[in-house]
């Protein structure tokens, strides 16, 4: 077991591997994190996702551009593949069926994938529609699966505008479906205005929020 200092150094190295878009180092360091007993969820959030936050800042400062962002997200996904099977969430939370996807016009899927990882760990049955999902596809999938919850992700102020429309379409299909929304531009207030049942700002609280919706629906 590594000391707290060693763990922090490793988290910083994982962060840097994402920022420096090192697609080889990132999974290597994630393997090392598992080997020294670092919590895989912490390695994801405080290493990989923190790296993507820094990448976002660099993009905003115009030091990085779209090609760098893509390379960084490859490095982040390479690490996530290593850590994902080891994430364990609270086993006592209610699990159900959930549809998830990034709304149409939006191809940012890193956050949605992290959210999916946590739902997988918590034992939910997941129907992942991916990114840039046509609104009608969410409704079709709800009809097909009879899911308890639909989780909608948006990373852009433009794409999130589709949410009220798809929420209404989903309710017309199944009045008591639980609808959870998230993504950087969303807030609890916006979620409420859009008619969603829940909002969560990160992957862990997303599972807890969906659990509350299932209990309400049941
Ligand atoms: C990486 C990135 C990209 C990558 C995406 C790669 C991928 N596979 O996802 C690429 C290079 C493809 C890209 C493209 C573009 N991008 Co971009 N991108 C980003 C960046 C830097 C990081 C996003 C990210 O992955 N964050 C890390 C994850 C872990 O965080 P997260 O997504 O917020 O997710 C967490 C929570 O929000 C929450 N969550 C997420 N989803 C959900 C869902 C539910 C249900 C719940 C409960 C919770 C939840 O949990 C997650 C984990 O904790 C952001 C800047 C930023 N700082 O956010 C810009 C940003 C989102 N992009 C932006 C733009 C403009 C673009 C482009 C238009 C650029 C261009 N000119 O081509 C295109 C868009 C193409 C399109 N149609 O979608 C803008 C959006 C501005 C706006 N309108 O709001 C941003 C904000 C940058 C900026 N400041 O200008 N981008």
């Amino acid at each position: 077991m590594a000391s707290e200092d060693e763990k922090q150094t490793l988290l910083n190295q994982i962060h840097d591997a994402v920022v420096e878009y090192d697609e080889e180092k990132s999974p290597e360091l994630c393997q090392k994190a598992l080997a020294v007993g670092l919590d895989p969820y912490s390695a994801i959030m405080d290493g990989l996702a923190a790296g993507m936050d820094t990448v976002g800042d660099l993009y905003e400062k115009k030091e990085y551009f779209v090609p760098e962002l893509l390379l960084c997200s490859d490095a982040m996904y390479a690490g996530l593949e290593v850590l994902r099977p080891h994430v364990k969430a609270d086993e006592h939370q209610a699990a159900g069926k959930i549809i998830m996807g990034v709304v149409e016009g939006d191809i940012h899927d890193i956050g949605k994938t992290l959210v999916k990882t946590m739902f997988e760990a918590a034992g939910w049955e997941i129907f992942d529609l991916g990114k840039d999902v046509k609104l009608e596809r969410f409704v079709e999938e709800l009809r097909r699966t009879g899911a308890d919850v639909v989780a909608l992700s948006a990373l852009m102020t433009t794409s999130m505008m589709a949410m009220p429309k798809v929420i209404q379409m989903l309710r017309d299909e199944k009045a008591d479906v639980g609808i959870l929304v998230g993504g950087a531009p969303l807030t609890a207030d916006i979620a409420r205005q859009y008619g969603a049942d829940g909002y969560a700002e990160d992957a862990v609280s997303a599972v807890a929020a969906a659990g509350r919706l299932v209990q309400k629906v049941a």
Side-chain angles (χ1 to χ4, degrees):
M1 189 65 83
S3 70
E4 287 311 307
D5 277 356
E6 283 163 339
K7 286 183 180 174
Q8 191 53 56
T9 306
L10 200 46
L11 288 175
N12 294 344
Q13 287 171 333
I14 295 173
H15 166 280
D16 294 350
V18 172
V19 176
E20 289 156 16
Y21 41 90
D22 195 328
E23 208 182 325
E24 280 169 24
K25 229 184 199 171
S26 165
E28 268 171 38
L29 289 165
C30 291
Q31 287 287 4
K32 194 171 168 194
L34 293 174
V36 303
L38 223 155
D39 171 34
Y41 181 73
S42 164
I44 292 175
M45 295 313 288
D46 305 326
L48 296 173
M52 282 312 298
D53 274 347
T54 303
V55 170
D57 294 343
L58 291 169
Y59 180 75
E60 270 149 46
K61 286 189 211 146
K62 300 200 178 351
E63 287 177 38
Y64 272 14
F65 298 93
V66 170
E68 284 88 354
L69 294 193
L70 283 172
L71 293 169
C72 293
S73 58
D74 287 346
M76 119 97 212
Y77 271 119
L80 187 61
E81 286 305 306
V82 172
L83 296 170
R84 205 206 304 240
H86 301 273
V87 176
K88 299 246 178 322
D90 184 352
E91 284 159 17
H92 304 292
Q93 281 165 0
K97 285 190 203 177
I98 186 164
I99 296 170
M100 50 180 70
V102 182
V103 297
E104 70 184 17
D106 196 330
I107 61 165
H108 296 91
D109 63 357
I110 293 174
K112 188 267 300 161
T113 304
L114 292 178
V115 171
K116 180 182 176 185
T117 300
M118 295 313 294
F119 276 94
E120 275 170 356
W124 283 67
E125 191 178 347
I126 301 163
F127 303 94
D128 181 7
L129 298 177
K131 58 194 171 186
D132 189 14
V133 179
K134 294 265 166 295
L135 304 187
E136 188 54 41
R137 271 294 290 130
F138 286 104
V139 181
E140 283 165 14
E141 195 67 354
L142 180 60
R143 197 173 303 142
R144 192 181 74 78
T145 62
D148 310 290
V149 178
V150 180
L152 304 167
S153 178
L155 256 289
M156 300 196 296
T157 46
T158 44
S159 61
M160 75 179 195
M161 307 283 216
M163 283 184 169
K165 185 169 176 206
V166 69
I167 290 172
Q168 192 52 54
M169 288 161 70
L170 290 164
R171 295 229 188 273
D172 290 346
E173 176 63 32
K174 185 179 180 205
D176 66 351
V177 66
I179 300 173
L180 189 63
V181 297
L186 275 295
T187 61
D189 269 353
I190 298 176
R192 225 171 292 121
Q193 282 167 30
Y194 281 2
D197 302 298
Y199 159 82
E201 64 174 2
D202 62 41
V204 170
S205 41
V207 177
R212 286 193 292 274
L213 296 187
V214 173
Q215 275 154 8
K216 209 176 78 184
V217 171

